[in-house]
Amino acid sequence: MRLVTWNVLHGRTMGDAHVDADRFADAVRALDADVLALQEVDRGQPRSDSIDLTALAAEAMGGASACFVPTLIGDPARSWRPADNRDLDAVADGYGIALLSRYPVQRWHVLRLAPGGARRMPPVDPETGMAHRLSEEPRAAVAATIRSPLGVFTIVCTHLSFVPGSNIRQLRRVMRWMHGLPGPRILMGDLNLPHTVVRRLTRAHALAHGATFPVMQPMVQIDHILSPDPLPPVRQIRLARPPLSDHLPLAVELGRGAVHRRGRQWEHATADGADTEGASSTAGAGWES
């Protein structure tokens, strides 16, 4: 079972703002992921030619089950409003995260993470010498409880705030929420935190190592795959540099053919607390938010 996480920069490259649907589909296809966590995903955004990137990725994976969770509705660079679960089926002006699985999904789960408010952040305006005041975007996590050849797993995708402090609180919140979901559990995504901080906060096992950002000269790992639970044998997969985004993807394989990290089974690390949100049902796989 191959798991991949990738911040896709809404399908564009650093040097070209145009989003090419074929280029994006080819890049997803090359990952050969069984479960794919995507961040910075557009649906119906004019800047990406109104392409539904989640649907395009699902098709490229051979017809994967998919869940797109918008975190905001509107223009991410200008005017927007926070999204909520009433926007899960929105087809225009959506921006958020997505999780896709080639294996049957027993239940989807969604957690909404409140932003920390407006902050003065760099870069500094050269004319005024003042730092810009930015409103933090709302964030979310989406999980899929899947039935794979290796058994039942819950895979979580998230994209946390870039604001120091907010991302730490959000990561703690996600870990508490994960503790209430069926295990074994694996968290994937752009956490906007370095490896040492993530390890200290989560006490989970890092399944993949290596700088992921910026793509042309990676210097820091802010994208992660980790688990607090015992897992089948795991090995990291080295992927070719994709033709888009400002992040490198991370990939691991679980199960037959993989090797135990340091020759031993992953140990169990507990997360404190457990809180899940109220459940509601939709057609197809179960839904919990």
Side-chain angles (χ1 to χ4, degrees), residues 69 97 109-113 139-143 156-158 174 177:
V69 176
I97 58 176
H109 319 262
V110 173
L111 173 70
R112 298 243 171 226
L113 300 165
R139 306 284 174 160
V142 57
V156 180
C157 167
T158 194
V174 170
W177 176 67

Side-chain angles (χ1 to χ4, degrees), residues 254-278:
L254 277 66
R256 191 173 303 168
V259 295
H260 290 290
R261 185 170 178 80
R262 298 191 181 94
R264 60 181 173 83
Q265 190 79 352
W266 294 105
E267 296 174 355
H268 178 71
T270 59
D272 59 335
D275 56 81
T276 56
E277 310 298 322

Side-chain angles (χ1 to χ4, degrees), residues 69-281:
V69 176
T71 53
L72 60 84
I73 301 294
D75 186 337
R78 294 177 177 83
S79 176
W80 50 264
R81 65 169 176 83
D84 58 35
N85 287 351
R86 292 171 294 183
D87 298 306
L88 287 170
D89 295 325
V91 296
D93 299 325
Y95 170 80
I97 58 176
L99 188 59
L100 304 95
S101 173
R102 285 174 170 166
Y103 301 126
V105 177
Q106 295 181 339
R107 184 169 292 273
W108 295 102
H109 319 262
V110 173
L111 173 70
R112 298 243 171 226
L113 300 165
R119 304 290 183 92
R120 293 194 181 277
M121 296 290 294
V124 173
D125 188 317
E127 294 184 2
T128 64
M130 301 293 289
H132 291 286
R133 190 169 183 84
L134 300 178
S135 295
E136 281 191 64
E137 296 174 8
R139 306 284 174 160
V142 57
T145 300
I146 65 169
R147 188 174 68 253
S148 80
L150 300 176
V152 173
F153 292 82
T154 297
I155 314 297
V156 180
C157 167
T158 194
H159 183 195
L160 303 184
S161 174
F162 60 86
V163 176
S166 289
N167 45 23
I168 289 174
R169 289 189 293 273
Q170 290 170 353
L171 180 56
R172 286 173 171 158
R173 177 75 173 92
V174 170
M175 294 303 294
R176 292 196 303 271
W177 176 67
M178 278 180 59
H179 187 66
L181 301 179
R185 297 148 296 191
I186 298 172
L187 174 63
M188 303 199 291
D190 177 358
L191 306 184
N192 272 312
L193 288 165
H195 166 71
T196 52
V197 176
V198 170
R199 182 177 178 86
R200 185 174 70 249
L201 289 172
T202 65
R203 297 174 293 176
H205 295 279
L207 308 185
H209 298 272
T212 59
F213 182 84
V215 66
M216 297 307 296
Q217 191 174 355
M219 299 177 64
V220 62
Q221 180 178 356
I222 57 177
D223 305 271
H224 301 270
I225 305 176
L226 53 97
S227 176
D229 298 314
L231 295 176
V234 181
R235 69 185 177 103
Q236 184 170 355
I237 303 298
R238 299 296 178 183
L239 300 171
R241 179 179 292 167
L244 56 94
S245 183
D246 55 347
H247 289 242
L248 292 175
L250 279 180
V252 298
E253 283 189 354
L254 277 66
R256 191 173 303 168
V259 295
H260 290 290
R261 185 170 178 80
R262 298 191 181 94
R264 60 181 173 83
Q265 190 79 352
W266 294 105
E267 296 174 355
H268 178 71
T270 59
D272 59 335
D275 56 81
T276 56
E277 310 298 322
S280 60
S281 297

